[in-house]
Amino acid sequence: MNVRLRTWLLFLLVSYTSPSLACSQDPELLDYIHQTVNVSVWQVVFTQENHLSALSRPFKSSGIVYVDRTRGFVWRTQQPFTSDLVVREGGLEMNGTAVASSRLVAELLRALVAGEVQSLTTLFDWHGCRADDGWQLTLTPKDAQLAERIVQIEARGRESVQELIVSQPGNNTMHVQFEPHQPLEQLPDAILHILNAPAD
Amino acid sequence: MHLLTNRNLAITAWVLLVGLLVALAWTQLAAGLVLRADVLTLLPSSQQDLRTQQAIDHLSADFERQLLIALVPRSDSPNFAELSQAANQLQTSSDASKLFEPQKMHSTPDASTWRNARFQLLDEKTRELIANNPERLLQDAQAQLFGLAVGSVTYDVLQDPLQLERRYLDTFAPSGIEPLSGSAFLSTRDATQAIITPLRLRSSAFDAKRAEALLGWLEQARVKAAESNFTLAAGGVPLFAAAAAVQARKEVATFGLLSIVGVIALLVGVFASIRPIVGTVLCIGTGAFAGFVCTHAAFGEVHLLTLVFGVSLVGISVDYALHFLCDGINDENWSPAQGIRSVAPGITLAVLSSIAAFMSFLGTPFPGLQQVAVFSAVGLAFAWLTVFAILPWLARNRVSSFGLMLRAGLARWAQNWPFVSPRLRIAPGLVLLGLIAIGLTTLRPNDDIRLLQSAEPSIVNEDATARRFVPYSRASQFFIVNAASEAELISAETEFVAALKSSSARTGSIWALSSMYPTITDQTNHYELIQRSIYESGLLAAWYQSIGVPPEQVAQNKQAFDAAQEAISLDRWGQSAPEPWQRQWLGCDDEGCRTTVTLESVTDATELEALADRFSNVAWIDPVGNITDVLARYRALATQALALVYVGIACLLMLLFGPGRGLRIVAVPGFAVCTALAACGFLGVPFSLFTLLAAMVVIGISLDFSLFYHLHGRRRPNTALAIALSATTTVLAFGMLSFSSTAVIETFGKTLFIGIISAFAVAPFASYKYAASNENSEPKKDTAS
């Protein structure tokens, strides 16, 4: 492979893996993302891979997310085992047990999944743009304490979020891909019950 | 005395001394002047033993620098973006102000120490789960590894699948608050949520220079918060200290301006010249300069309050200048040399008695009073020398028509004193003395240290609002528990806390290390429980296998478990615990181990003290009460010192003038001080060490009044005028302090005001009868010899 070809391939690789370099800043992007999500209740199928630098194989899972933009969402893992993570404004709840001091993370997840990323601008610097095939957004923590937990968040989508890559310290990465979302008139009763029920 | 009235000698001595002082001041400036503003440094070293003092210092370290800001939303339910934006805005503003250092409300402990001891440090809930349902813990770990792991370090889950470290740390997290952004927290302790930002001042809260900057920043922050639909409430020592400093500065500016205008108007009105003003300012100015330089040389620093009180006391020297300046009024044959000879005995006696009185402060253990003693003694001595050396150049025997009129009126007043025929004097005199006696019995001591810095109700309310949202609000009082060993200490503390909880004392939350630290036995049991339920049962190995973790990772985890058999000692635990728990641990030494038990609030200190007395190894510590006790003890000591000084002056005067005349002279300051104290009793003004400081000034000035009346005779108009001017200028200078909003300054002002007025009213008594032989010689022939 000659040098020119290798340089070209490297450029393509960087362009793909680094959205902040691949497009110029679009100041209207956050409003655009918010407007594209034009339903308030929906469900979406996801597949997830959590890569730990210490292990060669990722932890893979899949399931359904039930979203209510005003209430929060239920992240229901179905494979390889079942579990429910409830995300509300007040915090997280894992399998019926409240997670301590999780309001910040809950708000972050809620904003990412529901496409309400404007609310994150106080905590993150952002860079992103629109293209024919959708939008891409990179968030970097402003706050040092938050940076101890999250290095960077990359999100891509069209009408809703289609891909999330969360880079964490120690080269650990969470990669989630969403199928196109399915609007609902209302959440299933069982999910509503979980979303409305107070934690232990 | 002849040496002193030799003008050339006086000038030479004055110039030499000023030269020495300037040289000394130059070296001090070169080395750096140290001006302290911290009120606490004026207090005596605590009477507590060293270890107790260390405990107080350890617990209260940084307390004075901590400012708490609460942003309370005005809308019912602000969204997260609004909350974090308000927090960020405050953070940006506080960073830009350069007034604060980074501060954490709930810091994490020394990670490596606690991580290695995670198999021993179990909270009760986790211990029960491991014993009864360990699968549940592993399910949670599995959910984290496979699920949404944003904000948690997933690799840690692999290392510590039971999440023991996080679970134990979570038990330390204060309930009702959680991180928001930066150093800001969201508090949901109250029905209303609020953003809490703890800030730490870069300099002491008592740094008067920063006070205005702090209040200015707070005002700006309030406006910005209001624009974002939030209400800002601040709390903590810096708020009170800054408000007090700014208030004091305003009062000094207002009262200072009024008194300066008043004094200038009076002196110019009387003398129709600015020479007397120059003379008095020169006397006080050079005296204050000498006092400052010598005090700084002696102590290596000067406190701002020493400066205030010292200059006040040196202000007594206005008497000396005024007596000299008034001496030649309306006497065409008067010369400065004659004036010096006339006033020298009086002002020399006055300065000696005042210096003797102030030097008694040197015997107290208060660094502030010791500084005041040196400052005022040196200052008065130098002011006295200035009268001899410099004032003769400034004196004239001219006076305005207003001055002449005033002089004539005062002369008539002094001649006719006490305005009652001898037959009718006894009854009113007895009534007056009876009233004074009653007033003295109503005088109530109040030595509360908080009188030093009284706060506006609005500030108290704001502080309470901010603290409502904070979990770490603790009373200043606490218990110290000590024992020979760590094990005995935990046992003793547990027993004491149980007794405390079962007592009727209302203390709110109780913080004790024994509630968080598992004993060595418990730690061993925890380790064995994990070994049995998690490792030996094969549960963990199966779990690792089910999630596809390679065998080497499993082996690594087992090795970590096997290597962590040693329990963590209380000392190591205490040293690495999160704040504020770390502060409670006082450590172990040759004399044993010590810890503190802190309380949220104290409603009945007596009951808690009594409870501590029931335990041989528990001590009740009340730092504020302790300082108040010390102030009370030294008030009693200062009262005795004042009485001794008074008796000493009386003995000296009786020796010089004979018993009858000596007693007559000291009767005036005695009456003035007793009247001032009695009036304080009637007015409900608290009797404190600072009342005695004012009483000392009253004695100094009223002694001048009586000495001059005695030496010059009450029918000498110039003496009456000098005394009237001295009384008026003193009242103008200090009497206005009566309107201060700080209780202690108000006390000082009221005592001085009433004392000086009383002294002026009865001062002619000093010359009455005994000076009668001189009273017909008015005005040209003086009696002074």
Side-chain angles (χ1 to χ4, degrees):
Chain A
M1 197 183 299
N2 64 34
V3 174
R4 181 171 290 181
L5 184 58
R6 268 192 296 179
T7 309
W8 178 241
L9 284 175
L10 187 65
F11 173 73
L12 280 180
L13 184 66
V14 167
S15 304
Y16 177 74
T17 56
S18 177
S20 58
L21 291 175
C23 66
S24 56
Q25 176 79 332
D26 179 354
E28 309 290 323
L29 179 65
L30 301 186
D31 288 336
Y32 172 76
I33 294 173
H34 180 71
Q35 285 158 13
T36 53
V37 184
N38 52 12
V39 289
S40 57
V41 181
W42 70 91
Q43 67 178 36
V44 59
V45 174
F46 72 88
T47 54
Q48 180 178 355
E49 289 186 4
N50 286 350
H51 295 262
L52 303 191
S53 58
L55 302 177
S56 54
R57 285 194 310 167
F59 293 107
K60 292 181 182 174
S61 60
S62 60
I64 302 175
V65 191
Y66 298 93
V67 185
D68 180 325
R69 286 182 90 172
T70 54
R71 288 193 176 96
F73 65 87
V74 175
W75 189 277
R76 173 161 283 180
T77 305
Q78 292 170 321
Q79 291 294 330
F81 55 86
T82 57
S83 78
D84 281 342
L85 177 75
V86 182
V87 179
R88 298 192 196 92
E89 189 188 354
L92 303 178
E93 187 185 309
M94 173 70 81
N95 293 335
T97 305
V99 178
S101 300
S102 57
R103 190 189 180 102
L104 179 63
V105 172
E107 186 58 33
L108 171 62
L109 291 173
R110 211 162 70 92
L112 288 172
V113 171
E116 294 179 347
V117 280
Q118 299 106 317
S119 65
L120 298 177
T121 52
T122 53
L123 297 172
F124 292 87
D125 290 320
W126 67 275
H127 185 278
C129 61
R130 278 175 278 181
D132 293 341
D133 58 342
W135 51 263
Q136 55 189 45
L137 173 70
T138 305
L139 297 164
T140 315
K142 288 179 180 173
D143 174 34
Q145 276 182 300
L146 191 57
E148 287 173 11
R149 303 159 83 179
I150 298 165
V151 176
Q152 184 177 275
I153 298 171
E154 292 163 51
R156 289 188 190 86
R158 187 181 286 270
E159 287 176 353
S160 61
V161 181
Q162 291 176 338
E163 188 177 19
L164 265 182
I165 302 171
V166 181
S167 305
Q168 296 181 294
N171 283 330
N172 299 322
T173 313
M174 183 184 82
H175 189 173
V176 189
Q177 284 189 309
F178 300 95
E179 290 181 7
H181 70 279
Q182 299 167 27
L184 298 172
E185 282 196 11
Q186 65 167 49
L187 294 175
D189 287 347
I191 298 298
L192 263 179
H193 180 72
I194 293 171
L195 205 52
N196 293 332
D200 290 346
Chain B
M1 196 63 70
H2 288 302
L3 282 174
L4 291 169
T5 52
N6 181 325
R7 198 167 155 192
N8 289 336
L9 186 67
I11 291 172
T12 311
W14 191 85
V15 169
L16 277 174
L17 282 173
V18 167
L20 275 174
L21 287 170
V22 169
L24 191 56
W26 186 261
T27 56
Q28 287 171 356
L29 270 174
L33 284 179
V34 183
L35 268 177
R36 299 293 300 268
D38 185 348
V39 175
L40 297 179
T41 58
L42 287 176
L43 299 173
S45 301
S46 173
Q47 301 293 291
Q48 298 283 349
D49 65 76
L50 183 64
R51 283 158 62 90
T52 304
Q53 188 57 47
Q54 282 170 348
I56 294 171
D57 294 345
H58 190 68
L59 263 180
S60 61
D62 281 353
F63 182 68
E64 62 153 276
R65 291 190 182 191
Q66 286 172 0
L67 183 74
L68 196 68
I69 305 289
L71 290 171
V72 187
R74 289 176 178 172
S75 60
D76 286 342
S77 51
N79 62 37
F80 183 81
E82 288 169 332
L83 289 168
S84 56
Q85 190 171 3
N88 280 5
Q89 189 173 280
L90 185 75
Q91 181 87 45
T92 309
S93 163
S94 66
D95 289 347
S97 73
K98 309 278 183 205
L99 287 168
F100 309 102
E101 288 174 349
Q103 164 85 351
K104 284 184 177 180
M105 186 186 284
H106 174 67
S107 60
T108 47
D110 176 357
S112 61
T113 308
W114 282 35
R115 184 162 296 167
N116 293 340
R118 65 183 182 275
F119 303 109
Q120 284 82 13
L121 298 175
L122 302 186
D123 62 284
E124 189 52 31
K125 199 174 168 186
T126 307
R127 193 197 65 75
E128 275 181 19
L129 270 174
I130 293 172
N132 304 319
N133 189 9
E135 295 83 2
R136 168 66 190 274
L137 287 171
L138 293 172
Q139 278 167 12
D140 286 352
Q142 187 167 280
Q144 282 219 42
L145 283 172
F146 284 86
L148 274 183
V150 175
S152 69
V153 181
T154 321
Y155 186 62
D156 285 350
V157 180
L158 209 59
Q159 299 276 22
D160 182 14
L162 301 173
Q163 297 279 280
L164 299 176
E165 185 188 352
R166 183 185 61 75
R167 283 173 176 278
Y168 187 60
L169 272 176
D170 281 351
T171 61
F172 288 84
S175 62
I177 67 162
E178 57 181 288
L180 187 59
S181 69
S183 60
F185 287 78
L186 185 69
S187 170
T188 49
R189 284 173 62 81
D190 197 62
T192 319
Q193 57 185 1
I195 300 162
I196 298 293
T197 304
L199 298 169
R200 184 180 184 276
L201 281 184
R202 283 184 192 277
S203 58
S204 164
F206 300 99
D207 183 347
K209 286 182 288 185
R210 300 278 183 122
E212 253 171 52
L214 175 61
L215 292 186
W217 174 80
L218 268 175
E219 201 44 51
Q220 267 185 347
R222 274 197 187 94
V223 172
K224 280 184 189 165
E227 285 167 3
S228 308
N229 215 17
F230 282 82
T231 302
L232 184 146
V237 175
L239 178 71
F240 289 90
V246 169
Q247 179 65 25
R249 201 172 296 170
K250 272 186 195 162
E251 285 179 359
V252 166
T254 311
F255 300 157
L257 183 70
L258 285 174
S259 67
I260 285 170
V261 168
V263 168
I264 289 175
L266 180 70
L267 294 182
V268 170
V270 169
F271 293 100
S273 163
I274 60 159
R275 281 167 180 266
I277 297 168
V278 174
T280 48
V281 167
L282 204 60
C283 259
I284 298 173
T286 51
F289 173 65
F292 180 86
V293 172
C294 292
T295 307
H296 198 280
F299 294 89
E301 65 177 37
V302 175
H303 197 281
L304 280 178
L305 281 182
T306 304
L307 202 60
V308 172
F309 282 120
V311 172
S312 302
L313 290 168
V314 173
I316 292 173
S317 64
V318 73
D319 267 15
Y320 315 155
L322 285 172
H323 277 291
F324 177 75
L325 293 166
C326 289
D327 192 70
I329 291 174
N330 221 22
D331 183 353
E332 288 173 3
N333 298 322
W334 183 85
S335 68
Q338 186 189 336
I340 287 291
R341 278 196 299 279
S342 169
V343 300
I347 67 170
T348 306
L349 258 180
V351 81
L352 285 176
S353 50
S354 294
I355 288 174
F358 298 147
M359 291 305 274
S360 66
F361 288 150
L362 271 181
T364 69
F366 287 82
L369 286 186
Q370 290 168 349
Q371 286 190 14
V372 167
V374 173
F375 194 112
S376 53
V378 173
L380 280 179
F382 206 82
W384 168 82
L385 183 61
T386 306
V387 172
F388 289 98
I390 306 297
L391 258 60
W393 281 336
L394 297 168
R396 292 289 182 274
N397 53 358
R398 286 197 299 271
V399 73
S400 68
S401 53
F402 166 70
L404 280 176
M405 200 171 68
L406 189 65
R407 174 177 172 271
L410 285 163
R412 275 197 301 280
W413 177 82
Q415 279 169 23
N416 295 329
W417 192 92
F419 313 102
V420 188
S421 71
R423 280 180 300 170
L424 299 173
R425 280 175 203 165
I426 296 173
L430 285 176
V431 169
L432 187 61
L433 290 176
L435 280 174
I436 290 173
I438 293 169
L440 288 173
T441 57
T442 58
L443 197 59
R444 292 285 170 267
N446 186 349
D447 304 291
D448 196 332
I449 181 71
R450 283 163 286 213
L451 286 176
L452 278 173
Q453 275 173 335
S454 42
E456 296 267 328
S458 61
I459 294 177
V460 175
N461 290 339
E462 191 180 342
D463 178 72
T465 304
R467 289 186 187 283
R468 210 173 69 200
F469 298 102
V470 183
Y472 288 135
S473 183
R474 298 189 185 197
S476 61
Q477 302 98 322
F478 59 94
F479 297 97
I480 291 183
V481 185
N482 64 78
S485 66
E486 288 185 0
E488 285 177 42
L489 186 69
I490 287 296
S491 164
E493 192 194 75
T494 308
E495 188 187 348
F496 173 70
V497 170
L500 183 60
K501 283 179 177 168
S502 61
S503 75
S504 57
R506 282 179 297 156
T507 61
S509 301
I510 298 168
W511 288 279
L513 297 194
S514 55
S515 65
M516 305 303 285
Y517 171 75
T519 62
I520 298 290
T521 311
D522 285 342
Q523 288 186 46
T524 308
N525 290 341
H526 293 162
Y527 187 86
E528 288 170 1
L529 174 67
I530 293 170
Q531 190 167 31
R532 262 194 328 273
S533 307
I534 306 293
Y535 287 92
E536 289 176 357
S537 66
L539 189 67
L540 188 64
W543 180 78
Y544 273 132
Q545 195 176 4
S546 72
I547 61 170
V549 172
E552 54 269 30
Q553 181 67 41
V554 181
Q556 199 180 331
N557 186 286
K558 182 68 168 66
Q559 275 173 6
F561 178 75
D562 290 341
Q565 290 188 31
E566 192 186 343
I568 184 169
S569 70
L570 179 58
D571 195 29
R572 271 183 66 211
W573 184 91
Q575 285 177 31
S576 53
E579 292 288 7
W581 296 91
Q582 199 180 90
R583 280 188 199 280
Q584 294 204 209
W585 173 242
L586 301 176
C588 296
D589 58 21
D590 296 342
E591 294 178 45
C593 300
R594 287 145 46 92
T595 185
T596 56
V597 175
T598 55
L599 313 168
E600 187 177 1
S601 60
V602 170
T603 47
D604 186 356
T606 319
E607 188 182 357
L608 295 168
E609 191 172 6
L611 180 70
D613 287 343
R614 281 172 33 205
F615 293 80
S616 60
N617 45 10
V618 178
W620 169 246
I621 307 295
D622 183 356
V624 175
N626 184 40
I627 293 174
T628 300
D629 287 348
V630 172
L631 282 174
R633 277 205 296 281
Y634 290 110
R635 174 182 43 77
L637 274 177
T639 309
Q640 291 167 13
L642 189 71
L644 277 174
V645 163
Y646 185 72
V647 171
I649 291 172
C651 291
L652 177 74
L653 293 174
M654 283 195 285
L655 201 67
L656 287 171
F657 297 100
R661 296 173 68 179
L663 284 176
R664 187 166 275 268
I665 295 167
V666 292
V668 172
F671 175 84
V673 166
C674 288
T675 307
L677 295 181
C680 285
F682 284 128
L683 294 171
V685 175
F687 180 49
S688 69
L689 193 68
F690 301 93
T691 319
L692 290 167
L693 195 69
M696 198 66 89
V697 179
V698 169
I699 285 185
I701 290 179
S702 54
L703 189 64
D704 290 357
F705 294 176
S706 62
L707 267 171
F708 275 91
Y709 263 128
H710 189 82
L711 293 172
H712 293 178
R714 67 190 165 111
R715 289 183 183 173
R716 188 165 183 267
N718 291 352
T719 303
L721 178 65
I723 288 171
L725 289 177
S726 169
T728 314
T729 50
T730 308
V731 165
L732 279 172
F734 298 119
M736 285 186 197
L737 299 180
S738 310
F739 301 106
S740 170
S741 57
T742 306
V744 70
I745 297 176
E746 182 196 353
T747 301
F748 186 84
K750 280 184 174 160
T751 311
L752 233 145
F753 178 80
I754 299 164
I756 295 298
I757 296 291
S758 310
F760 176 75
V762 299
F765 176 78
S767 69
Y768 191 71
K769 187 177 173 183
Y770 288 94
S773 59
N774 302 315
E775 289 176 354
N776 296 323
S777 60
E778 162 329 285
K780 295 178 182 173
K781 295 172 189 172
D782 285 326
T783 56
S785 57

